[in-house]
Amino acid sequence: MITMASKSLRHRSNETKEKDTQNTSNAKPQSRSKIASITTELEKATGATTHRLWTRAVIATSVMIVVYFYSQQHKIKETKFAAANEKLPLRLQKFECSESYKTEIRRYPNCVPQKCGRFVSDHLVEENEVNVLLSLVRTIFAITSSSGGATILNLNTGALSYKEQFVNAYRVPRVAAEIREHHLAVYNTIKNKIKHAIAEQFGISKESLYLTDPTFFSLLTNLTAKTINDEYWHTHVDKETYESFHYTSLLYLNTYQRDYKGGRFIFINDTDASTPNTIVEPKKGRVSAFTSGAENPHYVEQVTDGERYAITISFTCDSERAIEDLIIKKN
C-alpha cells in the first residue's frame, strides 16, 4: 500500500510540475511584453525630459555667452591718470584744443596755451594749508548744508547752501564768525600757487590769468538730490557751463577710498571709442587743473558713502570777468 501510494504521489507531483512549467512558459511572453512596454514608455519620458533640460541648458549657456561678450564690448574703458595711492610731483597730458576753445581764446594772445590738456600735482599745496581750509568748511557745513547731495560755499559771493536754497554766508552770524583773516590768507596763497602752475604748464603769462566766478568749496555725499544743483554727476564742459572759464583747477581736501567711496573725477574721451576715459582719484592736497574747453568734457562720479570735500578755483583770460582776492565781508 505504501509503495502504491508513493508512486501515486510521485505521479501527481510530476503532473503538477509539468502544469507549472507549462503555465510559466505561457506567462513569460506576456510579462516580457509588459516590461518592454513600460521600458519604452520610460525611455520616451526620460528622453523628452532630458531633451528639454539639455535644450534649456544650451539656451542658458548661449545667453550667458552673449551677455558676457556684449558687456565686454560695451564696458566703459578706463585708465588711471592719477591714483590715490600715488605721490605725484607732476603728471601732464597735452593734446589739441577744441575748435571752439581755440576760436574764443584767440582774443587773449598772452593767454593762448601752447597745447590744451590737463595736469595733476601732489606737491603744490602744503598739508597744513589743506587742514586749515578743511577745518573751516567742515565747521560751516555742520552749521548749514544742502538737503540734497551737494553743499556749496562761495567765499567770494557768500553763496552758501541752505536746505534747498542759497543764503549769504556773511549774513548768517554763526557762519560769518567762523571765517577769519588767516583762512582767506591761506586760500589766496593756494590760489596763487595754482595760478603760477597753470601758467607754467600751459606756457602762458601768469599776469594774463585772473580769478573768476564761481570759485567754491564743495561737499558731495550720497544724499538724494533735491534740486538741480544737487545733481553734480552730469557730464559737462566747463566753458559751456561757465562762460568766463578758461582754466579750471580743483584742490582735493580729502581722499578717495579712505574718506569716501565713489566721487572720482572722470574725463570723457568720446572722440574715439577705443580711447579709455581718464580717471583722477582725489587725494588730500592733490591739485588737478585743465583747459576748460570742449577738449575736456568730464563728470564726477556719485559718492556712495562718506563725504567728499574739494575746492574749485577757476581762472579767466578776460580781465572784465576777473574777481578780487578774498577779503572779509563787512555786510
Side-chain angles (χ1 to χ4, degrees), residues 96-111:
E96 290 301 318
C97 302
S98 63
E99 289 302 319
S100 57
Y101 186 81
K102 286 193 290 188
T103 299
E104 200 269 344
I105 207 167
R106 285 191 189 117
R107 294 185 289 170
Y108 314 101
N110 294 329
C111 208

Side-chain angles (χ1 to χ4, degrees), residues 152-209:
I152 301 298
L153 170 62
N154 186 327
L155 286 177
N156 290 83
T157 64
L160 172 64
S161 299
Y162 173 68
K163 296 184 179 179
E164 296 179 23
Q165 58 185 350
F166 288 95
V167 297
N168 189 331
Y170 297 105
R171 294 182 179 177
V172 180
R174 286 181 62 198
V175 173
E178 296 295 336
I179 304 172
R180 310 291 176 80
E181 291 284 358
H182 75 279
H183 294 127
L184 304 188
V186 169
Y187 182 91
N188 289 328
T189 297
I190 290 172
K191 180 265 297 181
N192 287 329
K193 287 180 178 181
I194 295 174
K195 174 182 174 179
H196 293 171
I198 289 174
E200 181 178 356
Q201 297 308 320
F202 290 104
I204 61 175
S205 165
K206 64 179 182 292
E207 286 76 20
S208 67
L209 278 179

Side-chain angles (χ1 to χ4, degrees), residues 66-83:
V66 169
V67 168
Y68 173 79
F69 282 106
Y70 181 87
S71 64
Q72 292 301 307
Q73 184 179 0
H74 290 81
K75 185 178 180 181
I76 298 174
K77 297 178 181 178
E78 297 179 347
T79 183
K80 287 184 183 179
F81 184 47

